[in-house]
Coordinates of all heavy atoms in Angstrom, one line a residue:
M1 N 21.3 45.0 -45.4 CA 21.0 44.0 -46.3 C 22.0 43.7 -47.4 O 22.1 42.6 -47.8 CB 19.7 44.5 -47.1 CG 19.1 43.4 -48.0 SD 18.4 42.2 -47.0 CE 17.5 41.2 -48.2
L2 N 22.9 44.7 -47.8 CA 23.9 44.5 -48.6 C 24.9 43.5 -48.2 O 25.4 42.6 -48.9 CB 24.6 45.8 -49.0 CG 25.7 45.7 -50.1 CD1 25.2 45.2 -51.4 CD2 26.3 47.0 -50.2
I3 N 25.2 43.4 -46.9 CA 26.2 42.6 -46.3 C 25.7 41.1 -46.4 O 26.6 40.2 -46.6 CB 26.6 42.9 -44.9 CG1 27.8 42.2 -44.3 CG2 25.4 42.7 -43.9 CD1 29.0 42.7 -45.0
Y4 N 24.5 40.8 -46.2 CA 23.9 39.5 -46.4 C 24.0 39.0 -47.8 O 24.3 37.8 -48.1 CB 22.5 39.4 -45.9 CG 22.3 39.8 -44.4 CD1 21.7 41.0 -44.1 CD2 22.8 39.0 -43.4 CE1 21.6 41.3 -42.8 CE2 22.7 39.3 -42.1 CZ 22.0 40.5 -41.8 OH 21.9 40.8 -40.5
I5 N 23.8 39.9 -48.8 CA 23.9 39.5 -50.1 C 25.3 39.3 -50.5 O 25.6 38.2 -51.3 CB 23.3 40.6 -51.1 CG1 21.8 40.7 -50.8 CG2 23.6 40.3 -52.6 CD1 21.1 42.0 -51.5
I6 N 26.3 40.0 -50.1 CA 27.7 39.8 -50.3 C 28.1 38.5 -49.7 O 28.8 37.7 -50.3 CB 28.5 41.0 -49.7 CG1 28.3 42.3 -50.6 CG2 30.1 40.6 -49.8 CD1 28.9 43.5 -50.0
G7 N 27.7 38.2 -48.4 CA 27.9 37.0 -47.8 C 27.4 35.8 -48.6 O 28.1 34.7 -48.7
L8 N 26.2 35.9 -49.1 CA 25.6 34.8 -49.9 C 26.4 34.6 -51.1 O 26.7 33.4 -51.6 CB 24.1 35.1 -50.1 CG 23.5 34.1 -51.0 CD1 23.3 32.7 -50.3 CD2 22.0 34.5 -51.5
I9 N 26.7 35.6 -51.8 CA 27.6 35.5 -53.1 C 28.8 34.8 -52.8 O 29.3 33.9 -53.6 CB 27.7 36.9 -53.7 CG1 26.4 37.3 -54.3 CG2 28.7 36.8 -54.9 CD1 26.3 38.7 -54.8
L10 N 29.6 35.3 -51.7 CA 30.9 34.6 -51.4 C 30.7 33.1 -51.1 O 31.5 32.3 -51.5 CB 31.5 35.3 -50.2 CG 32.2 36.7 -50.5 CD1 32.6 37.3 -49.2 CD2 33.3 36.5 -51.4
T11 N 29.7 32.8 -50.4 CA 29.4 31.4 -50.1 C 29.1 30.6 -51.4 O 29.7 29.5 -51.5 CB 28.2 31.2 -49.2 OG1 28.4 31.9 -47.9 CG2 27.8 29.8 -48.9
L12 N 28.4 31.1 -52.3 CA 28.1 30.4 -53.6 C 29.4 30.2 -54.4 O 29.6 29.3 -55.1 CB 27.0 31.1 -54.3 CG 25.5 31.1 -53.7 CD1 24.6 31.9 -54.4 CD2 25.1 29.6 -53.5
I13 N 30.2 31.2 -54.4 CA 31.4 31.2 -55.1 C 32.3 30.1 -54.6 O 33.0 29.3 -55.3 CB 32.2 32.5 -55.1 CG1 31.5 33.5 -56.0 CG2 33.6 32.4 -55.6 CD1 31.9 35.0 -55.9
F14 N 32.5 30.0 -53.2 CA 33.4 29.1 -52.6 C 32.8 27.6 -52.8 O 33.5 26.7 -53.0 CB 33.5 29.3 -51.1 CG 34.4 30.6 -50.8 CD1 34.1 31.4 -49.8 CD2 35.5 30.8 -51.6 CE1 34.9 32.5 -49.5 CE2 36.3 31.8 -51.3 CZ 36.0 32.8 -50.4
I15 N 31.5 27.5 -52.8 CA 30.9 26.1 -53.1 C 31.1 25.7 -54.5 O 31.4 24.6 -54.8 CB 29.4 26.2 -52.7 CG1 29.2 26.2 -51.2 CG2 28.7 24.9 -53.3 CD1 27.8 26.3 -50.7
G16 N 31.0 26.7 -55.4 CA 31.3 26.5 -56.8 C 32.7 26.0 -57.1 O 33.0 25.1 -57.9
I17 N 33.6 26.6 -56.4 CA 35.1 26.3 -56.6 C 35.3 24.9 -55.9 O 36.1 24.0 -56.5 CB 36.0 27.3 -55.9 CG1 35.9 28.7 -56.7 CG2 37.4 26.9 -55.9 CD1 36.6 29.8 -56.0
A18 N 34.8 24.6 -54.8 CA 34.8 23.3 -54.1 C 34.3 22.2 -55.0 O 34.8 21.1 -55.0 CB 34.1 23.3 -52.8
N19 N 33.2 22.5 -55.7 CA 32.6 21.5 -56.6 C 33.5 21.0 -57.7 O 33.4 19.9 -58.1 CB 31.3 22.1 -57.2 CG 30.4 21.1 -57.9 OD1 30.5 19.9 -57.5 ND2 29.7 21.4 -58.9
K20 N 34.5 21.9 -58.1 CA 35.4 21.5 -59.2 C 36.3 20.4 -58.7 O 37.0 19.7 -59.4 CB 36.2 22.7 -59.6 CG 35.4 23.8 -60.4 CD 36.3 24.9 -60.8 CE 35.4 25.9 -61.6 NZ 36.2 27.0 -62.1
Y21 N 36.6 20.4 -57.3 CA 37.5 19.4 -56.8 C 36.9 18.1 -56.3 O 37.6 17.2 -55.8 CB 38.3 20.1 -55.6 CG 39.2 21.2 -56.1 CD1 38.9 22.5 -55.9 CD2 40.4 20.9 -56.9 CE1 39.6 23.5 -56.3 CE2 41.1 21.9 -57.3 CZ 40.8 23.2 -57.1 OH 41.6 24.3 -57.4
F22 N 35.6 18.1 -56.4 CA 34.8 16.9 -56.0 C 34.7 15.9 -57.2 O 34.2 16.4 -58.3 CB 33.4 17.3 -55.5 CG 32.6 16.2 -54.9 CD1 33.0 15.7 -53.6 CD2 31.6 15.6 -55.5 CE1 32.3 14.6 -53.1 CE2 30.9 14.5 -55.1 CZ 31.3 14.0 -53.8
V23 N 35.1 14.7 -57.0 CA 35.0 13.7 -58.1 C 34.3 12.5 -57.8 O 34.4 12.0 -56.7 CB 36.5 13.2 -58.4 CG1 36.5 12.3 -59.6 CG2 37.3 14.4 -58.9
V24 N 33.3 12.2 -58.6 CA 32.5 10.9 -58.4 C 33.0 9.8 -59.4 O 32.9 10.2 -60.7 CB 31.0 11.2 -58.6 CG1 30.2 9.9 -58.4 CG2 30.5 12.3 -57.6
T25 N 33.4 8.8 -59.0 CA 33.9 7.7 -59.9 C 32.8 6.5 -59.8 O 32.2 6.2 -58.8 CB 35.2 7.1 -59.5 OG1 35.2 6.6 -58.1 CG2 36.3 8.2 -59.6
T26 N 32.5 5.9 -60.9 CA 31.5 4.9 -61.0 C 32.2 3.6 -61.4 O 33.1 3.6 -62.4 CB 30.4 5.3 -62.0 OG1 31.0 5.5 -63.3 CG2 29.6 6.4 -61.6
N27 N 31.9 2.5 -60.8 CA 32.3 1.2 -61.2 C 31.1 0.6 -61.8 O 30.0 1.1 -62.0 CB 32.8 0.4 -60.0 CG 34.1 1.0 -59.5 OD1 34.8 1.7 -60.2 ND2 34.4 0.8 -58.2
D28 N 31.2 -0.8 -62.0 CA 30.1 -1.5 -62.8 C 28.8 -1.5 -61.9 O 27.9 -1.2 -62.4 CB 30.6 -2.9 -63.1 CG 31.7 -3.0 -64.1 OD1 31.7 -2.0 -64.9 OD2 32.4 -3.9 -64.1
S29 N 29.0 -1.8 -60.7 CA 27.8 -1.9 -59.9 C 27.6 -1.0 -58.7 O 26.6 -1.0 -58.1 CB 27.7 -3.4 -59.3 OG 28.8 -3.6 -58.4
S30 N 28.6 -0.1 -58.5 CA 28.4 0.8 -57.4 C 29.0 2.2 -57.8 O 29.8 2.3 -58.8 CB 29.2 0.3 -56.2 OG 30.5 0.3 -56.5
I31 N 28.6 3.2 -57.0 CA 29.1 4.6 -57.2 C 29.9 4.9 -56.0 O 29.5 4.7 -54.9 CB 27.9 5.5 -57.3 CG1 27.1 5.3 -58.5 CG2 28.4 7.0 -57.3 CD1 25.8 6.2 -58.6
N32 N 31.2 5.2 -56.3 CA 32.2 5.5 -55.2 C 32.3 7.1 -55.2 O 32.9 7.6 -56.2 CB 33.5 4.8 -55.5 CG 34.4 5.0 -54.5 OD1 34.1 5.5 -53.4 ND2 35.7 4.8 -54.7
I33 N 31.9 7.7 -54.2 CA 32.1 9.1 -54.1 C 33.4 9.4 -53.5 O 33.7 9.0 -52.4 CB 30.9 9.8 -53.3 CG1 29.5 9.5 -53.8 CG2 31.2 11.2 -53.0 CD1 28.5 10.0 -53.1
D34 N 34.3 9.9 -54.3 CA 35.7 10.1 -53.9 C 36.0 11.6 -54.2 O 35.9 12.1 -55.3 CB 36.6 9.2 -54.7 CG 38.0 9.4 -54.2 OD1 38.2 9.9 -53.1 OD2 38.9 9.0 -54.9
S35 N 36.3 12.3 -53.2 CA 36.6 13.7 -53.3 C 38.1 14.0 -53.7 O 38.4 15.1 -53.8 CB 36.3 14.5 -52.0 OG 37.0 14.1 -51.0
T36 N 38.8 12.9 -53.8 CA 40.2 13.2 -54.2 C 40.7 12.3 -55.2 O 40.1 11.2 -55.4 CB 41.1 12.9 -52.9 OG1 41.0 11.6 -52.6 CG2 40.6 13.9 -51.9
K37 N 41.7 12.7 -56.0 CA 42.5 11.8 -56.8 C 43.8 11.9 -56.3 O 44.7 11.0 -56.4 CB 42.4 12.2 -58.3 CG 41.2 11.9 -58.9 CD 41.3 11.4 -60.3 CE 40.0 11.0 -60.9 NZ 40.2 10.3 -62.0
N38 N 44.2 13.0 -55.5 CA 45.4 13.1 -54.8 C 45.2 14.0 -53.6 O 44.1 14.5 -53.3 CB 46.6 13.6 -55.7 CG 46.2 15.0 -56.2 OD1 45.5 15.7 -55.7 ND2 46.7 15.2 -57.4
N39 N 46.2 14.1 -52.7 CA 46.0 14.8 -51.5 C 45.9 16.3 -51.8 O 45.2 17.0 -50.9 CB 47.3 14.6 -50.6 CG 47.2 13.2 -50.0 OD1 46.2 12.7 -49.8 ND2 48.4 12.7 -49.6
K40 N 46.4 16.9 -52.8 CA 46.3 18.3 -53.0 C 44.8 18.7 -53.3 O 44.2 19.6 -52.8 CB 47.1 18.8 -54.2 CG 47.0 20.3 -54.3 CD 48.0 20.7 -55.5 CE 48.0 22.2 -55.7 NZ 48.8 22.7 -56.8
K41 N 44.1 17.8 -54.2 CA 42.7 18.1 -54.4 C 41.8 17.9 -53.3 O 40.9 18.7 -53.0 CB 42.2 17.2 -55.6 CG 42.6 17.6 -57.0 CD 42.0 16.8 -58.0 CE 42.5 17.4 -59.4 NZ 41.8 16.6 -60.4
K42 N 42.2 16.9 -52.4 CA 41.4 16.7 -51.2 C 41.5 17.9 -50.2 O 40.5 18.3 -49.6 CB 41.9 15.5 -50.5 CG 41.2 15.0 -49.2 CD 41.6 13.9 -48.5 CE 40.9 13.4 -47.3 NZ 41.4 12.1 -46.8
Y43 N 42.7 18.4 -50.1 CA 43.0 19.6 -49.3 C 42.2 20.8 -49.8 O 41.6 21.5 -49.0 CB 44.5 19.8 -49.2 CG 44.8 21.2 -48.5 CD1 44.8 21.3 -47.2 CD2 45.3 22.3 -49.3 CE1 45.1 22.5 -46.5 CE2 45.5 23.4 -48.7 CZ 45.4 23.6 -47.3 OH 45.8 24.7 -46.6
L44 N 42.2 21.1 -51.1 CA 41.5 22.2 -51.7 C 40.0 22.0 -51.5 O 39.4 23.0 -51.4 CB 42.0 22.4 -53.1 CG 43.4 22.9 -53.3 CD1 43.7 22.8 -54.8 CD2 43.5 24.3 -52.8
Y45 N 39.5 20.8 -51.7 CA 38.1 20.6 -51.5 C 37.7 21.0 -50.2 O 36.7 21.8 -50.0 CB 37.8 19.2 -51.9 CG 36.3 18.8 -51.6 CD1 35.3 19.2 -52.4 CD2 36.0 18.0 -50.5 CE1 34.0 18.9 -52.1 CE2 34.7 17.7 -50.2 CZ 33.7 18.1 -51.1 OH 32.4 17.8 -50.8
Y46 N 38.3 20.4 -49.2 CA 37.9 20.7 -47.8 C 38.1 22.2 -47.4 O 37.4 22.8 -46.6 CB 38.6 19.8 -46.8 CG 38.1 18.4 -46.8 CD1 38.9 17.4 -47.1 CD2 36.8 18.2 -46.6 CE1 38.5 16.0 -47.1 CE2 36.3 16.9 -46.6 CZ 37.1 15.8 -46.9 OH 36.6 14.6 -47.0
L47 N 39.2 22.8 -47.9 CA 39.5 24.2 -47.7 C 38.3 25.0 -48.2 O 37.8 25.9 -47.5 CB 40.7 24.6 -48.4 CG 41.0 26.1 -48.3 CD1 41.4 26.5 -46.9 CD2 42.2 26.4 -49.3
F48 N 37.8 24.9 -49.4 CA 36.8 25.6 -49.9 C 35.5 25.4 -49.3 O 34.6 26.2 -49.2 CB 36.7 25.5 -51.5 CG 37.8 26.3 -52.1 CD1 38.8 25.7 -52.8 CD2 37.8 27.7 -52.1 CE1 39.8 26.4 -53.4 CE2 38.8 28.5 -52.8 CZ 39.8 27.8 -53.4
I49 N 35.2 24.2 -48.8 CA 34.0 23.8 -48.1 C 33.9 24.6 -46.8 O 33.0 25.3 -46.5 CB 33.9 22.4 -47.7 CG1 33.5 21.6 -49.1 CG2 32.8 22.1 -46.7 CD1 32.2 21.9 -49.7
I50 N 35.1 24.7 -46.1 CA 35.2 25.5 -44.8 C 35.1 27.0 -45.1 O 34.3 27.7 -44.4 CB 36.5 25.2 -44.1 CG1 36.5 23.8 -43.6 CG2 36.8 26.2 -43.0 CD1 37.8 23.3 -43.0
L51 N 35.7 27.4 -46.2 CA 35.6 28.8 -46.6 C 34.2 29.2 -47.0 O 33.8 30.4 -46.8 CB 36.5 29.2 -47.8 CG 38.0 29.3 -47.4 CD1 38.7 29.6 -48.6 CD2 38.2 30.4 -46.4
S52 N 33.3 28.3 -47.5 CA 32.0 28.6 -47.9 C 31.1 28.7 -46.6 O 30.0 29.3 -46.7 CB 31.4 27.5 -48.8 OG 31.2 26.3 -48.1
I53 N 31.5 28.1 -45.5 CA 30.7 28.2 -44.3 C 31.0 29.5 -43.6 O 30.1 30.1 -42.9 CB 31.0 27.0 -43.4 CG1 30.6 25.8 -44.0 CG2 30.4 27.2 -41.9 CD1 31.1 24.5 -43.3
L54 N 32.2 30.1 -43.7 CA 32.6 31.2 -42.9 C 31.9 32.6 -43.2 O 31.5 33.3 -42.3 CB 34.1 31.5 -43.1 CG 35.0 30.5 -42.4 CD1 36.5 30.8 -42.8 CD2 34.9 30.6 -41.0
P55 N 31.6 32.9 -44.4 CA 30.9 34.3 -44.6 C 29.7 34.4 -43.9 O 29.5 35.4 -43.0 CB 30.7 34.4 -46.1 CG 31.7 33.5 -46.7 CD 31.9 32.4 -45.8
L56 N 28.7 33.5 -44.0 CA 27.4 33.7 -43.3 C 27.5 33.4 -41.8 O 26.8 34.0 -41.0 CB 26.4 32.8 -43.9 CG 26.0 33.1 -45.4 CD1 25.0 32.1 -46.0 CD2 25.4 34.5 -45.5
T57 N 28.4 32.6 -41.4 CA 28.7 32.3 -40.0 C 29.3 33.6 -39.2 O 28.8 33.9 -38.2 CB 29.7 31.1 -39.8 OG1 29.1 30.0 -40.4 CG2 29.9 30.9 -38.3
L58 N 30.3 34.2 -39.9 CA 30.8 35.4 -39.4 C 29.8 36.5 -39.3 O 29.8 37.3 -38.3 CB 32.0 35.8 -40.1 CG 33.2 35.0 -39.9 CD1 34.4 35.4 -40.9 CD2 33.7 35.0 -38.5
I59 N 28.9 36.7 -40.3 CA 28.0 37.7 -40.4 C 27.0 37.5 -39.2 O 26.6 38.5 -38.5 CB 27.2 37.8 -41.7 CG1 28.1 38.3 -42.7 CG2 26.0 38.7 -41.6 CD1 27.6 38.2 -44.1
S60 N 26.5 36.3 -39.0 CA 25.6 35.9 -37.9 C 26.2 36.2 -36.5 O 25.6 36.5 -35.5 CB 25.1 34.5 -38.0 OG 24.4 34.4 -39.2
A61 N 27.5 35.8 -36.4 CA 28.2 35.9 -35.1 C 28.6 37.3 -34.7 O 28.6 37.7 -33.5 CB 29.5 35.1 -35.1
L62 N 28.8 38.2 -35.7 CA 29.2 39.6 -35.4 C 28.1 40.6 -35.4 O 28.4 41.8 -35.4 CB 30.3 40.0 -36.4 CG 31.6 39.2 -36.4 CD1 32.5 39.6 -37.5 CD2 32.2 39.3 -35.0
R63 N 26.8 40.2 -35.4 CA 25.7 41.1 -35.5 C 25.2 41.4 -34.2 O 24.0 41.5 -34.0 CB 24.7 40.6 -36.5 CG 24.0 39.3 -36.2 CD 23.0 38.9 -37.2 NE 22.1 39.8 -37.5 CZ 20.9 39.9 -36.8 NH1 20.5 39.0 -36.0 NH2 19.9 40.8 -37.2
V64 N 26.0 41.6 -33.2 CA 25.6 42.0 -31.9 C 24.9 43.4 -31.9 O 25.5 44.3 -32.3 CB 26.6 41.9 -30.9 CG1 26.2 42.4 -29.5 CG2 27.3 40.6 -30.8
G65 N 23.7 43.5 -31.3 CA 23.0 44.8 -31.2 C 22.3 45.3 -32.5 O 21.8 46.3 -32.5
V66 N 22.2 44.4 -33.4 CA 21.4 44.8 -34.8 C 20.0 44.5 -34.5 O 19.6 43.5 -34.1 CB 22.0 43.9 -35.9 CG1 21.2 44.2 -37.2 CG2 23.4 44.3 -36.1
G67 N 19.2 45.5 -34.8 CA 17.8 45.4 -34.6 C 17.3 45.9 -33.2 O 18.1 46.1 -32.3
T68 N 16.0 46.1 -33.2 CA 15.4 46.6 -31.9 C 15.1 45.6 -30.9 O 15.0 45.8 -29.8 CB 14.2 47.4 -32.2 OG1 13.2 46.5 -32.9 CG2 14.4 48.6 -33.0
D69 N 15.0 44.3 -31.4 CA 14.7 43.3 -30.3 C 15.9 42.8 -29.5 O 15.7 42.3 -28.5 CB 14.2 42.0 -31.2 CG 15.2 41.4 -32.1 OD1 16.1 42.1 -32.4 OD2 15.0 40.3 -32.5
Y70 N 17.1 43.2 -29.9 CA 18.2 42.9 -29.0 C 18.3 43.7 -27.8 O 18.3 43.2 -26.6 CB 19.5 43.1 -29.8 CG 20.8 42.7 -29.1 CD1 21.0 41.4 -28.9 CD2 21.6 43.7 -28.5 CE1 22.2 41.0 -28.1 CE2 22.6 43.3 -27.7 CZ 22.9 42.0 -27.5 OH 24.1 41.6 -26.8
F71 N 18.3 45.1 -27.9 CA 18.4 45.9 -26.7 C 17.2 46.0 -26.0 O 17.3 46.3 -24.7 CB 19.0 47.3 -27.1 CG 20.4 47.2 -27.5 CD1 20.8 47.6 -28.8 CD2 21.4 46.9 -26.6 CE1 22.1 47.6 -29.2 CE2 22.7 46.9 -26.9 CZ 23.1 47.2 -28.2
F72 N 16.0 45.8 -26.5 CA 14.7 46.1 -25.8 C 14.1 44.7 -25.5 O 13.0 44.8 -24.9 CB 13.9 47.0 -26.6 CG 14.4 48.3 -26.9 CD1 14.8 48.7 -28.1 CD2 14.6 49.2 -25.8 CE1 15.4 49.9 -28.4 CE2 15.3 50.4 -26.1 CZ 15.7 50.8 -27.4
G73 N 14.6 43.6 -25.8 CA 14.0 42.4 -25.6 C 14.9 41.3 -24.9 O 14.8 41.0 -23.8
Y74 N 15.8 40.9 -25.7 CA 16.7 39.8 -25.2 C 17.6 40.2 -24.1 O 17.8 39.6 -23.0 CB 17.5 39.2 -26.3 CG 16.7 38.6 -27.4 CD1 16.9 39.1 -28.7 CD2 15.7 37.7 -27.2 CE1 16.1 38.6 -29.7 CE2 15.0 37.2 -28.2 CZ 15.2 37.6 -29.5 OH 14.4 37.2 -30.5
Y75 N 18.4 41.3 -24.3 CA 19.5 41.8 -23.4 C 18.9 42.1 -22.0 O 19.4 41.6 -21.1 CB 20.2 43.0 -24.0 CG 21.4 43.4 -23.4 CD1 22.5 42.7 -23.4 CD2 21.4 44.6 -22.6 CE1 23.7 43.0 -22.8 CE2 22.5 45.0 -21.9 CZ 23.7 44.2 -22.1 OH 24.8 44.6 -21.4
P76 N 17.9 43.0 -21.9 CA 17.4 43.3 -20.5 C 16.7 42.1 -19.9 O 16.7 41.9 -18.7 CB 16.4 44.5 -20.7 CG 16.6 44.9 -22.1 CD 17.3 43.9 -22.8
G77 N 15.9 41.3 -20.7 CA 15.2 40.2 -20.2 C 16.2 39.2 -19.6 O 15.9 38.5 -18.6
F78 N 17.3 39.0 -20.2 CA 18.3 38.0 -19.7 C 18.7 38.4 -18.3 O 18.8 37.5 -17.4 CB 19.5 37.9 -20.6 CG 20.6 37.0 -20.1 CD1 20.5 35.7 -20.2 CD2 21.8 37.6 -19.5 CE1 21.5 34.9 -19.5 CE2 22.7 36.8 -19.0 CZ 22.6 35.5 -19.1
F79 N 19.1 39.7 -18.1 CA 19.6 40.1 -16.8 C 18.5 40.2 -15.8 O 18.7 39.9 -14.6 CB 20.3 41.5 -17.0 CG 21.6 41.3 -17.6 CD1 21.8 41.8 -18.8 CD2 22.7 40.7 -16.9 CE1 23.0 41.7 -19.5 CE2 23.9 40.6 -17.6 CZ 24.1 41.0 -18.9
I80 N 17.2 40.5 -16.1 CA 16.2 40.4 -15.2 C 15.9 39.0 -14.7 O 15.7 38.7 -13.6 CB 14.8 41.0 -15.8 CG1 15.0 42.5 -16.0 CG2 13.7 40.7 -15.0 CD1 13.9 43.2 -16.8
L81 N 15.9 38.1 -15.6 CA 15.7 36.6 -15.3 C 16.8 36.1 -14.5 O 16.7 35.4 -13.6 CB 15.4 35.8 -16.5 CG 14.1 36.1 -17.1 CD1 14.0 35.2 -18.5 CD2 12.9 35.7 -16.3
N82 N 18.0 36.5 -14.8 CA 19.2 36.1 -14.1 C 19.3 36.5 -12.7 O 19.6 35.7 -11.8 CB 20.4 36.5 -14.9 CG 21.7 35.8 -14.5 OD1 21.7 34.8 -13.9 ND2 22.8 36.3 -14.8
Y83 N 18.9 37.7 -12.5 CA 19.0 38.2 -11.0 C 17.9 37.8 -10.2 O 17.9 37.9 -9.0 CB 19.1 39.8 -11.1 CG 20.5 40.3 -11.6 CD1 20.6 41.1 -12.7 CD2 21.7 39.8 -11.0 CE1 21.8 41.5 -13.1 CE2 22.8 40.2 -11.5 CZ 23.0 41.1 -12.6 OH 24.2 41.4 -13.0
Q84 N 16.7 37.5 -10.8 CA 15.6 37.0 -10.1 C 15.8 35.6 -9.5 O 15.2 35.3 -8.5 CB 14.3 37.0 -10.9 CG 13.8 38.4 -11.2 CD 12.6 38.4 -12.0 OE1 12.2 37.4 -12.6 NE2 11.9 39.5 -12.2
N85 N 16.6 34.8 -10.2 CA 16.9 33.4 -9.8 C 17.9 33.3 -8.8 O 18.2 32.3 -8.1 CB 17.3 32.6 -11.1 CG 16.1 32.4 -12.0 OD1 15.0 32.5 -11.6 ND2 16.4 32.2 -13.3
I86 N 18.7 34.4 -8.5 CA 19.7 34.5 -7.4 C 19.2 34.4 -6.1 O 18.2 35.0 -5.7 CB 20.7 35.5 -7.6 CG1 21.5 35.3 -9.0 CG2 21.7 35.6 -6.6 CD1 22.4 36.4 -9.3

């Protein structure tokens, strides 16, 4: 459970940093959402957005075999169904 909390905290930190580089400019009649004033801010904004996606994605991708439903449900069931269709 601790790894999920750490992943969530990292995601929130990266989103908070990315929010500093997001700029909304307003004109008289319209709102122009512009994430950049120059290329460096645009690069940093997208970098931290991508970094905010990575912690929880990596935790989900690397959790092979966690829990009892994996080895006793999905894994054997896949091979039984796969060999019956051959």
Side-chain angles (χ1 to χ4, degrees):
M1 185 68 170
L2 181 63
I3 192 73
Y4 298 110
I5 294 170
I6 292 170
L8 178 65
I9 290 170
L10 284 174
T11 297
L12 293 175
I13 289 171
F14 289 139
I15 287 175
I17 294 171
N19 191 30
K20 291 181 181 180
Y21 296 108
F22 186 77
V23 177
V24 177
T25 59
T26 59
N27 292 337
D28 292 336
S29 63
S30 66
I31 296 175
N32 183 15
I33 298 175
D34 184 17
S35 63
T36 65
K37 287 217 173 193
N38 57 29
N39 286 335
K40 185 177 179 182
K41 284 189 177 185
K42 182 179 182 179
Y43 172 75
L44 289 173
Y45 173 73
Y46 288 123
L47 174 70
F48 283 110
I49 290 294
I50 291 170
L51 284 175
S52 70
I53 295 169
L54 285 179
L56 293 176
T57 303
L58 288 175
I59 291 170
S60 298
L62 297 176
R63 60 182 305 266
V64 175
V66 174
T68 58
D69 60 345
Y70 182 77
F71 287 117
F72 300 111
Y74 303 125
Y75 188 75
F78 173 77
F79 285 108
I80 290 170
L81 291 174
N82 193 18
Y83 291 124
Q84 287 177 351
N85 292 334
I86 294 177

